[in-house]
Amino acid sequence: NAGVTQTPKFRVLKTGQSMTLLCAQDMNHEYMYWYRQDPGMGLRLIHYSVGEGTTAKGEVPDGYNVSRLKKQNFLLGLESAAPSQTSVYFCASSNRVAAKNIQYFGAGTRLSVL
Amino acid sequence: DQQVKQNSPSLSVQEGRISILNCDYTNSMFDYFLWYKKYPAEGPTFLISISSIKDKNEDGRFTVFLNKSAKHLSLHIVPSQPGDSAVYFCAASARETSGSRLTFGEGTQLTVNP
């Protein structure tokens, strides 16, 4: 039972390079989310999706783009990486049960931008 | 503004004693609260939750208390075990929020000493 899988686990980029982080879930969840975690700041929502083909901005969306072409996948793109995007990125998914939103997380991607 | 706040970055307790982790919130629309546990190099995992219609929820060694008038919740772990050493995140959601988004606190590092 894989749950939420993130690839890659680690990546080092140079400033200005681009990359895509992949999130895949096998729980048939409607909702998917991308967060970043920085020291002392908890988890901050970057973008989220309430269903296939839909995306919306979260708390810190600048510098990122997302796509949800298939229900099970949620991609996070960095078009031109900056040192401020050095962080640990987590993907999560949940069912469309508004009263009880338990999100399930992947293991994270550690990104360093030099 | 930080709508969910965990004022203690760290907490250290002896094995067998009680651990009390605290969380405060400012948004009166929040109606569902969760605690997540996170080990190094892993994603957050759901621990326990509570709806705003309750003031207590218990699951084994873990109990969450909610004081709506004070906008405060706490997680009690009794008895604490070394394996409980992890970062604990408090999170909150509002039923009417698009995508059932969660707002996280900064986290508290719990260390349980043998």
Side-chain angles (χ1 to χ4, degrees), chain B residues 25-36:
Chain B
Y25 63 95
T26 58
N27 188 341
S28 58
M29 298 301 292
F30 287 148
D31 56 7
Y32 191 66
F33 304 89
L34 308 88
W35 285 94
Y36 281 83

Side-chain angles (χ1 to χ4, degrees), chain A:
Chain A
N1 187 2
V4 179
T5 303
Q6 291 184 232
T7 52
K9 289 185 168 36
F10 304 96
R11 186 73 185 267
V12 178
L13 290 179
K14 294 181 179 178
T15 298
Q17 287 186 317
S18 63
M19 78 162 294
T20 300
L21 282 68
L22 170 65
C23 177
Q25 54 96 3
D26 62 2
M27 296 175 282
N28 200 34
H29 284 170
E30 289 289 337
Y31 293 174
M32 296 187 75
Y33 311 84
W34 274 108
Y35 293 89
R36 59 179 289 173
Q37 185 198 3
D38 301 294
M41 301 189 75
L43 287 94
R44 292 183 294 167
L45 183 65
I46 304 171
H47 286 279
Y48 65 100
S49 169
V50 299
E52 182 178 323
T54 74
T55 64
K57 293 180 180 180
E59 182 185 355
V60 288
D62 294 342
Y64 304 95
N65 56 75
V66 287
S67 64
R68 184 111 179 258
L69 299 180
K70 293 182 178 181
K71 185 177 183 180
Q72 64 267 34
N73 295 338
F74 196 28
L75 306 179
L76 177 70
L78 286 75
E79 291 184 347
S80 179
S84 60
Q85 294 177 305
T86 293
S87 188
V88 182
Y89 292 85
F90 290 101
C91 176
S93 69
S94 69
N95 276 327
R96 188 172 53 191
V97 180
K100 224 178 177 185
N101 182 26
I102 297 173
Q103 295 182 13
Y104 298 88
F105 285 81
T109 296
R110 186 175 294 276
L111 175 66
S112 293
V113 183
L114 307 178

Side-chain angles (χ1 to χ4, degrees), chain B residues 36-50:
Chain B
Y36 281 83
K37 176 178 175 179
K38 185 184 177 307
Y39 292 119
E42 295 184 10
T45 56
F46 170 72
L47 186 59
I48 192 170
S49 63
I50 188 167

